[in-house]
């Protein structure tokens, strides 16, 4: 493990104008390494490098299949280095080693998927009658700025970088302060597949410094952000000043409605993945379960069983897939979650299991289930971003929708029932960008993902996401005769 990691600007690994930041291993609370911190001058160099490559046409003038092949090769590069990347990702982020492997495989999948799509971005011809020939083309915006969160640093960068490159954009990635290290492999991948110097720039910096400088830079042409609502608003405001489009993937307080005819055996698996995968630090986590009165108690018993079956320990000690959970990303995030649990208790919620930090160094929190949660409580409305599940009750479908749709968010939602009419009706009535029926996280790289309401706008994943990275040009030709 290197003890100092640099930024990657214009094809070179460089120090940061703002010095260095300590990266902490949340699995033991110890310093892991130092990361170079970019300042606004570094950001400017990265943007100018990306702009130069864009204007040169080195990427955008390629036949799309050639760009697509390079994008696909980046994914293969990640897989070829999966063991080293997974180790660093686990050490900086806290997740089990086996979860890091899944994350890197997921990242590689984005490069495969969008690499394959590169040559499918086709325009159309619009009939204007005799005397004209008209067609549309899709052109890249130019410099795509991508501001990355710490929960899935590899997968989130892969998601935007792959689609941006496939459509011919050049990129400046601002990695998260807490988990910047593993993103270095995108720089290595870009070099290995022969992308022009400056096409991909990877830098870490403080959000309010380098992040703000990047989102306000007048030569950035498009911004992708995943993170919290307040930061999303700041970034969208900066983008508005330069009149550039944004994709915002913000938080969620997503709910699963569990009916009395649901397959409860299967639902246990959804609890395991929905709220305890990545220690619940997932935008689309199943952070609320809205249970029908008649099955509530039995369901709570099962969910408590799932929570208690998980062994919580340092991610690096968890090479094998299994019933395990790692540390949260930092003590501060863990303590914030603890504070929200205490507040929920003071408002009348009951801790059915968990609720404590582990008595050892590291950002560990027990898998937690809160019952007797009512829709007015803070915990029912605000994102914990941790392994904390709130259980609410309903007696009629209308009440369930009212509770599910009762937060400002609208990222995903779920309904668990064997009744097709009920499921279909729920899919229509849930105010969310993605609805899971009988399996939380059903879908994949192919399925569009993004929020209603305060969960953001624009779509990631799927064909939809490609249109974030291109602008339509119409060409109308007056013919002679
Ligand atoms: P969290 O508070 O959980 O870290 P944020 O949404 O603040 O979540 O952070 C997500 C990403 O946004 C990080 O890369 C962070 O550095 C960046 N960021 C934070 N503040 C700003 C800002 N004012 N402008 C641009 N980027 C920012």
């Amino acid at each position: 493990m290197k003890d100092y990691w640099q930024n990657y600007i214009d094809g070179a690994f460089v120090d940061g104008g703002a010095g260095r930041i300590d990266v902490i291993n949340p699995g033991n609370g110890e310093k892991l390494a130092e990361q170079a911190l970019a300042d606004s001058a570094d950001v400017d160099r990265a943007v100018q490098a990306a702009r130069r490559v864009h204007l040169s046409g080195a990427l955008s003038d390629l036949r799309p299949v050639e760009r697509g092949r390079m994008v696909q090769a980046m994914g293969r590069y990640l897989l070829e280095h999966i063991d080293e990347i997974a180790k660093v990702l686990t050490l900086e982020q806290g997740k089990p080693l086996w979860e890091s492997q899944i994350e890197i495989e997921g990242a590689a999948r984005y490069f495969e998927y969008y690499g394959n799509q590169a040559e499918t971005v086709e325009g159309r011809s619009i009939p204007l009658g005799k005397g004209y020939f008209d067609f549309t083309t899709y052109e890249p915006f130019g410099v795509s700025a991508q501001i990355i969160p710490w929960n899935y640093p590899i997968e989130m960068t892969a998601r935007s970088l792959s689609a941006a490159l496939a459509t011919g954009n050049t990129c400046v990635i601002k990695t998260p302060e807490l988990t910047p290290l593993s993103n270095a492999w995108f720089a290595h991948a870009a070099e290995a597949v022969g992308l022009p110097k400056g096409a991909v720039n990877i830098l870490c910096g403080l959000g309010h410094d380098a992040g703000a400088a990047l989102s306000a830079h007048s030569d950035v042409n498009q911004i992708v952000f995943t993170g919290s609502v307040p930061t999303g608003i700041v970034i969208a405001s900066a983008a508005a000043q330069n009149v550039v489009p944004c994709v915002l993937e913000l938080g969620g307080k997503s709910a699963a409605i569990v009916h009395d005819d649901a397959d409860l055996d299967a639902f246990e698996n959804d609890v395991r993945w929905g709220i305890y995968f990545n220690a619940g630090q997932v935008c689309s986590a199943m952070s609320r379960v809205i249970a029908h009165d008649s099955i509530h108690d039995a369901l709570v018993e099962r969910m408590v069983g799932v929570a208690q079956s998980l062994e919580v320990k340092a991610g690096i000690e968890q090479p094998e897939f299994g019933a395990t959970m790692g540390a949260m990303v930092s003590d501060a995030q863990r303590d914030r979650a603890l504070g929200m649990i205490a507040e929920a208790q003071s408002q009348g919620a009951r801790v059915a299991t968990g609720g404590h930090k582990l008595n050892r160094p590291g950002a560990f929190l027990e898998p937690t289930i809160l019952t007797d949660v009512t829709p007015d409580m803070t915990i029912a409305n605000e994102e914990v971003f941790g392994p904390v599940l709130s259980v609410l009750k309903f007696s009629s479908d209308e009440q369930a929708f009212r509770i599910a749709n009762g937060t400002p968010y609208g990222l995903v939602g779920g309904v668990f029932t064997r009744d097709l009419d009920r499921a279909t009706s729920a899919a229509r009535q849930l105010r969310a960008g993605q609805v899971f029926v009988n399996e939380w996280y059903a879908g994949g790289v192919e399925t569009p993902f993004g929020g209603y309401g305060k969960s953001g706008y624009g779509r990631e994943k799927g064909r939809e996401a490609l249109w974030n990275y291109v602008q339509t040009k119409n060409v109308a030709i007056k013919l002679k005769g």
Side-chain angles (χ1 to χ4, degrees):
M1 180 83 185
K2 272 192 308 187
D3 55 14
Y4 172 49
W5 299 61
Q6 290 174 300
N7 292 324
Y8 182 70
I9 298 175
D10 201 6
F13 284 93
V14 293
D15 292 338
R20 299 178 180 198
I21 192 172
D22 287 351
V23 180
I24 306 297
N25 174 356
N28 61 15
E30 290 170 13
K31 178 171 160 181
L32 184 63
E34 289 179 3
Q35 163 69 46
L37 273 189
D39 62 5
S40 55
D42 295 328
V43 168
D44 183 55
R45 267 194 296 282
V47 171
Q48 294 313 335
R51 181 173 157 77
R52 186 196 70 234
V53 176
H54 173 62
L55 294 178
S56 75
L59 211 53
S60 53
D61 286 349
L62 286 179
R63 191 166 175 157
V65 65
E66 292 174 32
R67 243 181 2 242
R69 283 182 186 141
M70 286 196 270
V71 172
Q72 289 174 3
M74 287 184 76
R76 287 196 297 275
Y77 183 92
L78 296 182
L79 292 178
E80 283 157 16
H81 296 81
I82 189 165
D83 290 335
E84 7 170 355
I85 309 172
K87 187 168 165 235
V88 172
L89 177 57
T90 282
L91 289 173
E92 67 178 343
Q93 205 276 345
K95 65 185 68 191
L97 211 41
W98 62 264
E99 283 196 28
S100 288
Q101 302 257 351
I102 291 177
E103 176 169 347
I104 296 156
E105 284 162 9
R109 178 78 184 101
Y110 281 108
F111 287 99
E112 179 186 42
Y113 179 76
Y114 286 115
N116 270 326
Q117 307 272 331
E119 55 184 330
T120 69
V121 182
E122 297 170 342
R124 62 192 175 114
S125 170
I126 300 169
L128 291 178
K130 188 170 178 229
Y132 293 93
F133 177 55
D134 185 286
F135 62 92
T136 62
T137 58
Y138 292 108
E139 296 186 346
F141 277 105
V143 178
S144 170
Q146 305 173 6
I147 298 175
I148 306 300
W150 47 257
N151 61 337
Y152 285 99
I154 288 285
E155 211 166 341
M156 296 300 95
T157 298
R159 186 166 82 179
S160 42
L161 180 61
S162 58
L165 289 173
T167 43
N169 295 274
T170 55
C171 301
V172 180
I173 310 285
K174 209 295 276 172
T175 62
E177 300 90 313
L178 291 174
T179 60
L181 308 181
S182 49
N183 258 258
W185 272 274
F186 291 109
H188 300 313
E191 285 190 348
V193 307
L195 281 166
K197 271 188 191 353
V200 174
N201 303 272
I202 315 269
L203 50 86
C204 183
L206 299 179
H208 60 77
D209 184 5
L214 181 59
S215 46
H217 199 293
S218 56
D219 286 324
V220 162
N221 306 113
Q222 184 256 8
I223 301 178
V224 183
F225 172 72
T226 302
S228 63
V229 176
T231 306
I233 293 170
V234 171
I235 288 173
S237 304
Q241 294 303 313
N242 289 322
V243 198
V244 300
C246 266
V247 181
L248 298 182
E249 202 255 276
L250 310 178
K253 190 76 199 179
S254 303
I257 299 173
V258 186
H259 286 280
D260 50 7
D261 63 348
D263 178 346
L264 298 189
D265 289 339
F267 188 69
E268 288 187 15
N269 208 32
D270 295 289
V271 175
R272 193 263 168 280
W273 293 106
I275 190 65
Y276 299 127
F277 193 55
N278 207 23
Q281 302 162 120
V282 185
C283 310
S284 51
M286 188 178 77
S287 54
R288 292 182 296 158
V289 163
I290 308 173
H292 190 266
D293 273 334
S294 64
I295 50 148
H296 173 272
D297 294 354
L299 191 61
V300 168
E301 197 176 313
R302 283 169 179 267
M303 293 191 294
V304 165
V306 172
Q308 292 179 349
S309 73
L310 297 176
E311 191 186 352
V312 183
K313 58 183 180 181
I316 202 71
E317 296 163 18
Q318 304 180 41
E320 300 297 333
F321 174 85
T324 58
M325 195 179 84
M328 292 181 67
V329 74
S330 68
D331 286 0
Q333 282 296 318
R334 191 264 322 275
D335 293 344
R336 181 177 166 278
L338 281 171
M340 291 185 76
I341 294 169
E343 185 182 10
Q345 285 179 285
S346 75
Q347 293 176 353
R350 194 174 68 81
V351 175
T353 189
H356 304 103
K357 58 182 182 183
L358 299 195
N359 187 20
R360 71 170 119 113
F364 297 104
L365 178 63
E366 293 173 339
T368 300
I369 292 180
L370 299 173
T371 59
D372 301 317
V373 175
T374 52
D376 51 306
M377 291 180 188
T378 313
I379 197 85
N381 292 283
E382 289 184 9
E383 192 173 32
V384 179
F385 224 63
V388 181
L389 175 62
S390 296
V391 188
L392 299 95
K393 285 185 187 174
F394 77 94
S395 51
S396 70
D397 287 21
E398 288 61 38
Q399 188 190 10
F401 297 138
R402 215 171 34 246
I403 298 171
N405 291 337
T407 78
Y409 293 114
L411 194 51
V412 303
V415 58
F416 293 78
T417 176
R418 290 185 166 97
D419 182 328
L420 182 62
D421 287 340
R422 191 177 244 171
T424 312
S425 162
R428 286 174 59 88
Q429 296 195 59
L430 285 173
R431 201 175 55 84
Q434 189 168 30
V435 176
F436 304 126
V437 178
N438 291 337
E439 186 185 281
W440 200 266
Y441 294 144
V445 168
E446 309 90 325
T447 51
F449 170 71
Y452 282 23
K454 293 272 192 300
S455 292
Y457 48 74
R459 291 293 174 268
E460 302 277 7
K461 302 182 170 179
R463 293 278 295 163
E464 274 77 357
L466 285 171
W467 314 125
N468 296 330
Y469 299 92
V470 290
Q471 45 198 342
T472 306
K473 177 178 278 179
N474 188 79
V475 181
I477 304 172
K478 172 81 175 88
L479 302 173
K480 240 184 177 172

